[in-house]
Amino acid sequence: MNRDARYADFLHRSAAIVGAERVIGQADAERVYGVNEIGIERFIPGAVRPQTGDQVIGLLALAREFDVPLYPISTGNNWGYGGANPVTDGCVIADLSGMNRIVEMDAEMGLVTLEPGVTQRQLREYLDARGLPFLCPVSGAGPDCSLIGNALERGYGITPYADHFSAVMAIEAVLSDGTVYRTPLTELGAAAVDRAFKWGVGPYLDGIFTQGNFGIVTQMTLALAATPERVEAFFFGIPDDQDLERAVAAVRSALREVTGVVGSINLMNMRRVLSMMEPYPRDRIGPEGIIPAAHLETMAKRNQVMPWMGAGALYGNAKVVKAARSVVRAKLRGVAKRLMFFTPSSVRTFANASRIVPGPIGKSVHNIFSTLDRTLQLLAGAPSEIALPLSYWISGTMPPPGQRMHPVRDGCGLLWYSPLVPMQPARVRAYVQMVEAICLRHRIEPLITLTSLSDRCFDSTVPLLFDRQDSAAIERVHRCHEELFAAGRAQGFVPYRTSVASMRLFMPDEVAFWSVVKQIKDVLDPQGIIAPGRYSRYPSDVP
């Protein structure tokens, strides 16, 4: 049977499992799932939309029968990493967004079990409707992104459980042969304690389902951080770029002193902060293709933005937060300027009051406090779109007021470079210089954020923004990303995740790790049915 016939028969037979209305042919699948922010194209022969774990099992049986690879997605809103696109051509999309049940909420233990289609918004609304005092594990991806999808990519946020996979307590997944994988204590009849104790017993296998392709995760239990008595954000500036090294050392020292009280601390360069505060000055772009330094300074002065800006949040009861505030002040003294602490209610008051200030000054002050207000909502565990306008800064059309942002639908161009950077002042400086030089060479604004994952390591996120309608810009941004990857690897800065177009960059032949991954894949999925090429060696050919 030829390839096209296999796809056709698979999709035809899938209708008996999920219903004809939940099976999509090639043309519609490529229209719905193929468009993406990073400007790539994939051959997508179709899509299926299961609603239950049993349907996933049935679809995998069909996939084995017809030798058709499946590419599972949660919501497909993987902004800047390829959206819903598979790594390789020829995969049928298994869209799990219809599996959106919150299966169980243990309010006493703070444990929620949910399916892949559950979004940040849905969980927040669920908690609010029941008056449950827990934070939603938010991320900058926005309210309509999957909680499971983010955890499986080992994503993070800035609330107390900043590392989202660290909060994963139990996983249920379906292997390619239809076996349902559950964590070991559950299999021994101790599901309650299994959800309360991450590591189970024996070899820890839950981790292989993150950034991998060994199974399709159908349920996950997450530990939720309790809503603290007090959430207090702090913001500060570094007035001289030459003080970046001192700022890194001060942040590291503060994190060590207030571990467990602070979620994380961000450092953002001037361009990154301004991208959140003002429209892209398209009419002021210089011959180098970026914002000239003189106009950048004008924008910065107007918005009171320094060469580097910092932000973090403290969580706890009033006494604990007060003590931690003193520590943060002491550690940042002498390097940070305008160190200010705010609660969500105080920022909202200032934002409302700023509306009555007349003229350009009032507009600037209101802009600043409105940005702080949206930031505080995120820090307090409320899903927010505050980070999404970044995608629209250079390309894309903002939706009308009241309509949700959707960067792929709206034509945005974004490719993330997200390397891990040791929290060592000299290494951070070398990293920043590398990113600036390479981005400027490719006519891309170097927008840099450093987010603490611990007191030892930053994750840096650099959004490579471009015009998705310009084929030359698409080619340029991918060249920039590849150069960043190569130069970063040479200096020891390697991304913690990457786009579906860049998986190969992780897998040079000399690295034995990927050979071990392939051996596991060959045992658990010998036909290569599930997400071929995803964080694994590519198949030698496409079915």
Side-chain angles (χ1 to χ4, degrees):
M1 185 183 298
N2 65 35
R3 184 188 70 173
D4 291 343
R6 295 204 318 272
Y7 289 137
D9 286 353
F10 171 82
L11 293 172
H12 176 72
R13 292 269 299 279
S14 294
I17 297 173
V18 301
E21 73 283 1
R22 304 190 69 80
V23 177
I24 303 174
Q26 178 186 343
D28 286 339
E30 291 183 344
R31 176 180 56 82
V32 172
Y33 301 101
V35 182
N36 58 84
E37 281 186 291
I38 69 174
I40 62 170
E41 293 183 0
R42 291 287 186 264
F43 163 53
I44 302 174
V48 289
R49 295 171 167 173
Q51 293 181 290
T52 68
D54 286 343
Q55 289 179 356
V56 171
I57 293 171
L59 290 171
L60 282 168
L62 274 187
R64 293 194 308 275
E65 179 181 345
F66 290 103
D67 200 22
V68 167
L70 299 180
Y71 193 82
I73 62 170
S74 298
T75 59
N77 297 336
N78 196 20
W79 316 127
Y81 290 102
N85 277 258
V87 178
T88 61
D89 287 325
C91 294
V92 171
I93 301 296
D95 180 350
L96 310 181
S97 61
M99 298 176 62
N100 59 0
R101 293 184 306 137
I102 296 176
V103 178
E104 182 180 354
M105 176 71 211
D106 185 335
E108 181 180 11
M109 302 293 285
L111 298 168
V112 62
T113 301
L114 37 75
E115 293 182 327
V118 177
T119 63
Q120 297 177 36
R121 186 191 306 275
Q122 183 181 346
L123 178 59
R124 183 69 267 164
E125 291 174 350
Y126 177 94
L127 296 172
D128 290 344
R130 290 158 180 79
L132 298 175
F134 297 99
L135 300 178
C136 177
V138 295
S139 70
D144 299 309
C145 293
S146 165
L147 294 161
I148 284 183
N150 183 260
L152 291 179
E153 274 291 345
R154 299 205 283 270
Y156 59 89
I158 48 180
T159 48
Y161 296 166
D163 178 347
H164 290 164
F165 182 67
S166 72
V168 175
M169 307 304 288
I171 281 176
E172 177 183 287
V174 183
L175 306 183
S176 71
D177 66 358
T179 299
V180 178
Y181 167 92
R182 297 183 180 89
T183 37
L185 295 180
T186 292
E187 297 280 32
L188 293 171
V193 74
D194 199 3
R195 290 192 292 268
F197 179 63
K198 181 180 180 73
W199 305 110
V201 64
Y204 182 74
L205 298 182
D206 286 16
I208 69 172
F209 297 103
T210 69
Q211 292 191 356
N213 58 2
F214 301 120
I216 297 178
V217 175
T218 52
Q219 285 189 22
M220 178 181 288
T221 298
L222 297 173
L224 302 180
T227 303
E229 176 185 319
R230 189 173 181 85
V231 177
E232 196 165 302
F234 57 92
F235 303 90
F236 59 92
I238 308 299
D240 191 330
D241 179 70
Q242 298 303 312
D243 286 332
L244 174 61
E245 287 89 342
R246 293 176 60 210
V248 170
V251 166
R252 183 178 63 197
S253 181
L255 288 166
R256 287 177 177 173
E257 291 287 332
V258 292
T259 298
V261 181
V262 65
S264 63
I265 298 177
N266 281 6
L267 293 174
M268 294 170 281
N269 72 348
M270 179 189 294
R271 292 177 190 267
R272 178 66 182 87
V273 176
L274 290 173
S275 72
M276 300 169 62
M277 303 185 77
E278 285 204 15
Y280 186 61
R282 201 172 306 278
D283 58 339
R284 304 301 296 269
I285 301 306
E288 298 82 7
I290 61 166
I291 304 172
H295 187 67
L296 198 69
E297 289 295 332
T298 299
M299 294 170 66
K301 184 176 181 180
R302 184 162 55 232
N303 291 281
Q304 302 182 50
V305 174
M306 301 183 199
W308 288 90
M309 302 295 289
L314 305 173
Y315 302 86
N317 63 44
K319 291 182 179 179
V320 167
V321 169
K322 181 180 179 180
R325 187 192 316 138
S326 297
V327 172
V328 171
R329 286 189 186 279
K331 296 299 181 182
L332 296 180
R333 186 174 295 124
V335 63
K337 300 297 182 183
R338 298 181 192 162
L339 173 61
M340 295 179 286
F341 293 81
F342 297 99
T343 63
S345 59
S346 66
V347 167
R348 198 165 299 117
T349 299
F350 287 129
N352 291 334
S354 67
R355 295 178 186 274
I356 65 174
V357 179
I361 293 177
K363 182 178 180 181
S364 175
V365 171
H366 179 66
N367 187 26
I368 291 168
F369 279 104
S370 294
T371 300
L372 290 179
D373 185 22
R374 296 192 302 274
T375 302
L376 264 291
Q377 292 176 35
L378 195 68
L379 293 171
S384 168
E385 291 187 333
I386 184 173
L388 289 184
L390 170 69
S391 300
Y392 297 78
W393 202 45
I394 286 179
S395 69
T397 302
M398 286 288 287
Q403 183 175 329
R404 295 174 183 176
M405 295 182 198
H406 193 289
V408 169
R409 176 200 64 202
D410 298 333
C412 303
L414 165 65
L415 176 62
W416 286 105
Y417 173 59
S418 307
L420 300 164
V421 181
M423 200 177 289
Q424 298 169 303
R427 301 291 300 282
V428 172
R429 173 64 71 183
Y431 166 75
V432 168
Q433 291 174 340
M434 178 198 81
V435 170
E436 290 177 341
I438 293 173
C439 285
L440 295 178
R441 186 156 56 246
H442 291 276
R443 303 167 65 87
I444 291 173
E445 301 284 347
L447 313 176
I448 302 174
T449 299
L450 297 158
T451 300
S452 65
L453 301 180
S454 68
D455 60 12
R456 298 173 297 279
C457 186
F458 285 119
D459 173 63
S460 178
T461 47
V462 180
L464 306 178
L465 300 174
F466 63 100
D467 183 352
R468 210 173 81 202
Q469 308 308 313
D470 182 345
S471 58
I474 294 173
E475 183 179 348
R476 189 171 68 249
V477 80
H478 284 276
R479 286 202 310 269
C480 179
H481 184 271
E482 289 188 12
E483 187 175 345
L484 285 167
F485 192 103
R489 183 188 173 200
Q491 296 188 46
F493 312 125
V494 177
Y496 86 101
R497 65 184 292 193
T498 195
S499 79
V500 297
S502 307
M503 297 284 174
R504 281 190 173 96
L505 298 178
F506 278 103
M507 300 166 203
D509 291 339
E510 69 272 17
V511 177
F513 173 87
W514 298 109
S515 295
V516 175
V517 171
K518 185 178 185 303
Q519 292 176 55
I520 298 172
K521 178 69 170 175
D522 288 345
V523 171
L524 295 181
D525 184 11
Q527 289 180 251
I529 293 299
I530 300 174
R534 178 174 169 75
Y535 292 103
S536 65
R537 294 269 167 81
Y538 281 46
S540 57
D541 54 23
V542 177

